[in-house]
Amino acid sequence: MSPEFLPFTRPSIDEPTIAGVAEVLRSGWITTGPQAKAFEAALSEHCGGRPVRAFVSGTITMEVALRLAGVGPGDEVITTPLSWVATANVVLEVGARPVFVDVDPKTRNIDLSLIETTKNTKAIIPVDLAGLPVDRERLYSIAKAKNLRVIEDAAQAFGASWRGKPIGSFGDLVSFSFHANKNITTAEGGALVLPDEKLVALCEKLRFQGITRTGEDGMDCDVLGGKANLTDIAARIGLGQLPHLKRFTERRRALAKRYFQLWDRSLGCELPVEEFENSNWHMFQVVLPAKFPRARFIAAMREAGIGVGVHYPAMHLFSLYRSLGWREGQFPHAERIGRSIVTLPLFPSMKDEDVGRVCDAARKVLAA
């Protein structure tokens, strides 16, 4: 009998959360309401009391953050080419231009030493790939010296920390994602941490059609907003997830350590940085040997009953970004990693023996 298929990720939703969602459905109030407010309050507590607003995705949070930072047409925003394409798409959405900087080959995060600015540079969007935080001291030192706003793409870093402080509890604008594959989930959703209470009103207007309500029937629209409010159904899932964050993170770290113990180092793969203080181990990613076709590896692992993800191809090589002038050869580290990186199974409900199964299967595939 073949073993059960092992996906690269799977959310852990407990029965009390499922029951809680059912209660919301029965309540008659399923859009944004008391559950969303409670979720925002809980997120704020996690982020050291800073104001937090919940949204329908971790993409719209970055777009709103850029607008709050005053980024628009004619501006440039520095970011990494090794991320989900949303990181750069939101820059285009506000009329600005993304400017890519190559990654550090070890951390796979943006190489801060390569940052150069122009008179048009307005902001930087660092990405904490796989939950490994970008060096926050260096990041904010550069931002201060260059007078840049920082929009932290911490989509993968909820539960991560920097020198003992949770990501989101300090810094400028911080964007989280609660997509189904994240360390905690609302099925779909995100949150934006604000640096100042003064931004809350505009943030809320940008989230909901630019509307301000007054009194019993007063209504005005003074800015162009969108429709990105989180439902109470989604928020209730998030409220059920938050109490498990510490346990989820500890389990992910334990599984990552097991990968390091069992992985065959003779296979010629590049392993991630062994870091267990700051990273939340959102993903365990290896870079395959350059001559081994990634598609072949993915197919062979699927045949063995194991799911493998790709996070991410270098986005400047997508057609949209080529049309804006980016080309192959500009960011060699991101391009090499993007061609060969694979995401192996890692989620809290995995068993220790599942890691051994993945490592054994990978050894057989790569040695074939």
Side-chain angles (χ1 to χ4, degrees):
M1 182 176 173
S2 300
E4 181 182 358
F5 185 80
L6 182 67
F8 78 85
T9 189
R10 178 188 288 144
S12 297
I13 312 290
D14 61 16
E15 289 302 320
T17 300
I18 295 171
V21 170
E23 289 176 7
V24 172
L25 291 171
R26 294 188 189 101
S27 74
W29 193 285
I30 59 177
T31 187
T32 307
Q35 299 294 326
K37 287 187 179 298
F39 185 47
E40 289 175 341
L43 292 171
S44 177
E45 183 177 355
H46 174 81
C47 295
R50 302 178 79 198
V52 181
R53 289 299 178 265
F55 287 77
V56 292
S57 76
T59 299
I60 192 63
T61 47
M62 290 192 290
E63 181 185 331
V64 168
L66 287 166
R67 296 187 188 281
L68 291 173
V71 177
D75 294 330
E76 295 177 350
V77 179
I78 293 170
T79 194
T80 168
L82 197 64
S83 177
W84 180 229
V85 70
T87 304
N89 281 355
V90 294
V91 178
L92 296 179
E93 190 67 35
V94 300
R97 175 178 172 79
V99 175
F100 297 111
V101 172
D102 207 357
V103 299
D104 179 293
K106 292 184 178 180
T107 66
R108 304 166 187 166
N109 286 332
I110 189 170
D111 189 337
L112 297 174
S113 69
L114 299 178
I115 288 177
E116 297 180 357
T117 60
T118 71
K119 61 182 176 61
N120 297 321
T121 308
K122 191 71 172 284
I124 178 171
I125 304 180
V127 177
D128 302 315
L129 188 66
L132 179 66
V134 172
D135 186 323
R136 291 307 197 263
E137 271 85 8
R138 290 186 64 199
L139 170 67
Y140 279 98
S141 175
I142 292 169
K144 183 178 180 180
K146 304 286 188 178
N147 194 29
L148 303 178
R149 295 302 301 270
V150 178
I151 292 91
E152 298 182 25
D153 183 351
Q156 301 173 27
F158 194 80
S161 61
W162 182 256
R163 299 193 174 177
K165 296 188 294 184
I167 297 299
S169 67
F170 62 97
D172 199 352
L173 294 144
V174 183
S175 170
F176 291 122
S177 170
F178 303 127
H179 179 266
N181 70 2
K182 297 302 189 289
N183 289 28
I184 71 162
T185 184
T186 56
E188 292 281 359
L192 182 60
V193 187
L194 306 172
D196 193 329
E197 289 282 352
K198 295 176 183 178
L199 292 174
V200 170
L202 179 55
C203 179
E204 291 179 346
K205 287 194 283 187
L206 292 173
R207 180 176 64 176
F208 193 73
Q209 304 293 7
I211 291 293
T212 302
R213 298 179 187 272
T214 54
E216 294 291 342
D217 63 348
M219 187 184 301
D220 190 23
C221 175
D222 62 347
V223 297
L224 179 61
K227 179 71 166 62
N229 51 301
L230 190 72
T231 69
D232 264 20
I233 299 168
R236 181 60 185 86
I237 298 173
L239 284 167
Q241 292 271 286
L242 275 171
H244 301 293
L245 177 61
K246 182 178 179 182
R247 177 173 63 84
F248 286 170
T249 303
E250 290 174 350
R251 182 60 181 154
R252 285 175 174 276
R253 286 174 175 165
L255 290 167
K257 288 179 180 179
R258 189 159 178 81
Y259 268 116
F260 284 112
Q261 292 167 359
L262 299 181
W263 189 266
D264 185 346
R265 308 296 177 110
S266 71
L267 295 172
C269 297
E270 295 176 28
L271 299 183
V273 175
E274 291 189 59
E275 204 284 335
F276 298 101
E277 181 179 351
N278 296 306
S279 178
N280 67 359
W281 285 98
H282 170 57
M283 295 186 288
F284 191 93
Q285 299 179 289
V286 302
V287 178
L288 301 174
K291 294 183 179 179
F292 198 98
R294 179 168 59 194
R296 176 181 158 194
F297 179 82
I298 293 171
M301 292 294 280
R302 188 187 305 114
E303 283 293 312
I306 297 168
V308 173
V310 176
H311 304 89
Y312 302 93
M315 74 175 84
H316 70 287
L317 300 180
F318 290 158
S319 297
L320 172 61
Y321 290 94
R322 285 180 183 270
S323 73
L324 296 176
W326 303 105
R327 63 186 185 280
E328 192 167 0
Q330 290 179 304
F331 311 110
H333 293 312
E335 291 169 22
R336 179 184 61 79
I337 293 168
R339 280 192 298 269
S340 301
I341 197 166
V342 292
T343 303
L344 303 178
L346 181 66
F347 51 91
S349 61
M350 272 179 65
K351 301 173 182 177
D352 286 355
E353 51 265 35
D354 288 332
V355 177
R357 179 182 161 197
V358 174
C359 292
D360 288 342
R363 184 184 304 111
K364 291 175 183 176
V365 170
L366 291 170

